[in-house]
Amino acid sequence: GTDLVLLKVMNENETSLYLSHSDKTPENMIFNTEFPFSAYAKSDGTVIIIERRDSSQRAYVSKNLEEADRVYKADTILYLPDRDEFIGITSSSTDEGEKLTYTLATLSGDEVGELFEGSNIGRRATAGSGQQMAIYTTNEESVEIFIIDFNSQKEIDSNDDYVAIEKVGAANTGDLL
């Protein structure tokens, strides 16, 4: 395989990403923005970019040294490298307060399914394998923790025996939450 180089060039108001073969001068600008972003380069040359705008985030994908295409938009976007998918988090107002919806989406931006919806959501953690997510909600009397399976997009376990949870964490590899 040919080695690829991802180069970030910053000027006064914009940042550009270039991707090229290591033996050539960077010539393929794949992304340009005035907003902060994160980029994830895969071994096949695909680059996933999450751009953070003021009120939302956008996901872009570049393949074959081509300019990145916008594929997905949500209030918050998480990239799951082990699954090559996104979690989109959207917020809406209800009578009970803010409700968050977690949706699983492919790299092409197609929504696979809703993972979780709820109010008063605390922290979340995704297992290192990218197969499960732990998330908890709070109310005046208790805390309920949920384990969500990404493959089935279903809750596989929950427990409301807690009074408080300080934080949720996950192992870097495997399914340990």
Side-chain angles (χ1 to χ4, degrees), residues 2 14 40-41 47 65 71 92 105 131 134 161 169:
T2 304
E14 294 184 327
Y40 306 88
V47 179
L65 303 174
V71 295
S92 58
Q131 302 301 315
D161 293 340

Side-chain angles (χ1 to χ4, degrees), residues 34-96:
E34 61 189 56
F35 298 99
F37 65 91
S38 301
Y40 306 88
K42 297 174 48 176
S43 61
D44 67 358
T46 301
V47 179
I48 293 91
I49 301 160
I50 309 294
E51 179 187 51
R52 296 178 300 280
R53 295 197 175 196
D54 295 334
S55 61
S56 65
Q57 296 184 358
R58 290 160 172 77
Y60 299 81
V61 176
S62 168
K63 293 183 179 181
N64 303 317
L65 303 174
E66 297 291 325
E67 186 174 341
D69 293 319
R70 188 177 109 181
V71 295
Y72 195 60
K73 179 182 174 188
D75 294 340
T76 301
I77 299 174
L78 309 172
Y79 172 58
L80 303 171
D82 289 332
R83 295 185 63 86
D84 247 2
E85 293 179 307
F86 301 113
I87 295 176
I89 305 170
T90 55
S91 172
S92 58
S93 296
T94 67
D95 293 339
E96 294 93 37

Side-chain angles (χ1 to χ4, degrees), residues 6-19 28-39 49-53 60 67-68:
L6 185 64
L7 180 65
K8 182 178 183 180
V9 177
M10 299 167 58
N11 66 28
E12 292 178 14
N13 299 324
E14 294 184 327
T15 303
S16 300
L17 273 182
Y18 292 84
L19 184 66
N28 297 346
M29 184 174 67
I30 62 168
F31 186 69
N32 182 291
T33 185
E34 61 189 56
F35 298 99
F37 65 91
S38 301
I49 301 160
I50 309 294
E51 179 187 51
R52 296 178 300 280
R53 295 197 175 196
Y60 299 81
E67 186 174 341

